[in-house]
Amino acid sequence: MENETIYILAIESSCDDTSAAVLSGKKVLSNVTATQKIHEEYGGVVPELASRAHQQNIVPVVHQALNKANIDKKQLSAIAFTRGPGLMGSLLVGTSFAKSLALGLGIPLIEVNHMQAHILAHFIEDKNHKTPEFPFLAMTISGGHTQIVLVKNYFDMEILGETLDDAVGEAFDKSAKILGLPYPGGPLIDKNAQKGDPKAYPFPKPKVKGLNFSFSGLKTSILYFIQRETTSNTDFIGEHLENICASIQKTIIEILMEKLEMAVKQTGISQIAIGGGVSANSGIRAALKEAEVARGWTTYIPKFEYCTDNAAMIGIVGYLKYRQRSFTQQDVSAKSRYALGEKY
Ligand code: KG4
Ligand code: ZN
């Protein structure tokens, strides 16, 4: 068994990305993602359209992942899939597909918690990426979640703090929407912010006790600010977009960094790993690199392709669970709300 090569096919369909990956042990052989463009014109993910697009995408995406990896489905050791959390209709597509394929091939099925996968993506073997040592702190920052997690072991994680309202990705996307930028606006705020002055417009930061976060107040103050400024100058956004984006991004990064500092103080752990779509943000990446020098932290930032939703991160969890023989029965169903520490 030790020398046996384990091939995992992983499937991710929790939101608006249909993704499939093939792993050989901890190494990624392929990681194919079809991003659904249809939501752009609606300014956010439309759940019904997302599940329909997953249905169209899943077969070609799985085929491509197997082809790219040069693996025949008969060689697969197990199928891993995202059980939750996420949009129910989206999750059901991946879950049903994974169940049927595992049944058809007569191989084990492995369910994966999407948030755990964002954290464990750091254990994907890659020559340019070091892996964290336990215990470490993980900050998961995505369109659906904002959490600081104490990671004691692969499957022993404790949430120390989380958002009380909007997720940080939502804060980026909703701010972008106020500025008239298309969905998802996070990357566009980032792009414009890099050319702007972060001190141009000060926005208030929320006062939330402990390690919890809140972003809805920031969104409201940005909305009021823009309404006020555009009343006197209708071209205000166009003329100052870069400075506005830089100021929004700076405020969000400061909120995240202040809580991380508090978590480091509370736990005495200064190994920090980030995960989730917002970890692609240039501001948070730079702030963490600075903290390595200024505070002596060790930081772990995933490769770009493992930041946003992808099946490779589902595959690494699948492999780690395969080693423990932690398999899932065919009566499993998708779980739209699925807490990180919840027993499967
Ligand atoms: O992890 P993810 O792909 O999906 C969820 O599980 O939510 O995260 C998507 C979120 C979106 O809100 C998107 O705007 C944000 O990540 N995002 C960014 C950047 N790239 C993606 N936010 C800020 N800066 C970026 N560069
Ligand atoms: Zn995600």
Side-chain angles (χ1 to χ4, degrees):
M1 144 80 200
E2 280 307 308
N3 295 326
E4 179 194 351
T5 309
I6 308 300
Y7 292 114
I8 306 281
L9 170 69
I11 291 162
E12 154 66 31
S13 73
S14 65
C15 189
D16 58 344
D17 292 306
T18 320
S19 186
V22 178
L23 274 77
S24 163
K26 290 182 178 175
K27 289 200 181 84
V28 177
L29 300 182
S30 65
N31 184 32
V32 177
T33 304
T35 303
Q36 304 176 0
K37 293 274 171 226
I38 180 104
H39 309 287
E40 274 172 19
E41 58 194 279
Y42 296 94
V45 177
V46 185
E48 177 59 25
L49 296 180
S51 31
R52 286 190 208 178
H54 282 306
Q55 277 177 340
Q56 283 171 353
N57 293 342
I58 194 141
V59 172
V61 163
V62 167
H63 263 293
Q64 263 193 49
L66 288 167
N67 284 344
K68 271 198 171 169
N70 205 11
I71 293 291
D72 188 90
K73 55 186 182 305
K74 293 199 183 76
Q75 290 173 269
L76 295 172
S77 315
I79 315 265
F81 70 99
T82 305
R83 184 181 176 198
L87 299 171
M88 195 43 144
S90 293
L91 289 167
L92 277 172
V93 177
T95 303
S96 321
F97 187 89
K99 282 167 72 169
S100 330
L101 191 56
L103 188 68
L105 294 171
I107 56 175
L109 182 65
I110 302 170
E111 60 114 64
V112 173
N113 179 307
H114 180 91
M115 296 313 294
Q116 208 167 50
H118 270 304
I119 296 173
L120 296 179
H122 286 278
F123 294 91
I124 291 173
E125 221 171 84
D126 190 301
K127 59 181 187 314
N128 298 317
H129 185 74
K130 54 186 192 312
T131 48
E133 281 162 31
F134 300 113
F136 64 93
L137 294 175
M139 185 167 72
T140 44
I141 39 181
S142 74
H145 294 267
T146 308
Q147 295 180 329
I148 295 182
V149 180
L150 170 59
V151 186
K152 299 172 208 168
N153 215 320
Y154 292 128
F155 300 108
D156 189 0
M157 302 185 184
E158 186 189 332
I159 299 172
L160 302 181
E162 59 192 329
T163 184
L164 304 175
D165 41 58
D166 291 350
V168 60
E170 269 181 289
F172 271 108
D173 296 339
K174 288 179 178 173
S175 305
K177 198 172 178 180
I178 295 170
L179 300 176
L181 299 171
Y183 177 87
L188 296 170
I189 295 221
D190 189 4
K191 199 170 155 215
N192 283 291
Q194 290 175 42
K195 288 173 266 165
D197 173 10
K199 295 202 183 88
Y201 308 107
F203 292 112
K205 281 183 273 180
K207 291 185 179 58
V208 185
K209 283 209 182 106
L211 295 175
N212 288 332
F213 299 87
S214 166
F215 289 101
S216 68
L218 175 66
K219 171 191 65 195
T220 312
S221 67
I222 293 168
L223 177 66
Y224 289 163
F225 168 75
I226 294 296
Q227 281 175 344
R228 203 169 53 237
E229 296 295 333
T230 48
T231 313
S232 50
N233 172 9
T234 47
D235 291 334
F236 177 76
I237 297 175
E239 286 170 11
H240 303 283
L241 186 62
E242 291 167 355
N243 284 350
I244 303 169
C245 288
S247 304
I248 294 172
Q249 182 156 308
K250 170 188 173 273
T251 312
I252 294 177
I253 303 306
E254 278 180 8
I255 296 170
L256 297 176
M257 290 304 289
E258 280 167 21
K259 293 293 176 171
L260 264 185
E261 266 171 50
M262 208 187 275
V264 170
K265 255 194 206 138
Q266 236 178 64
T267 59
I269 298 168
S270 57
Q271 281 211 91
I272 319 281
I274 58 167
V278 181
S279 38
N281 182 270
S282 64
I284 189 72
R285 287 176 170 245
L288 286 173
K289 283 290 151 218
E290 263 170 45
E292 287 213 324
V293 182
R295 301 175 198 282
W297 296 0
T298 311
T299 65
Y300 301 88
I301 302 172
K303 272 177 88 173
F304 194 77
E305 61 260 46
Y306 305 140
C307 285
T308 46
D309 288 350
N310 68 89
M313 69 182 193
I314 306 302
I316 186 73
V317 185
Y319 171 71
L320 294 168
K321 283 191 169 183
Y322 187 95
R323 287 201 315 200
Q324 299 185 344
R325 295 288 187 266
S326 179
F327 300 142
T328 308
Q329 299 308 310
Q330 274 287 336
D331 61 358
V332 66
S333 53
K335 217 164 148 49
S336 61
R337 290 176 157 269
Y338 191 179
L340 194 62
E342 210 172 312
K343 265 278 155 229
Y344 37 87

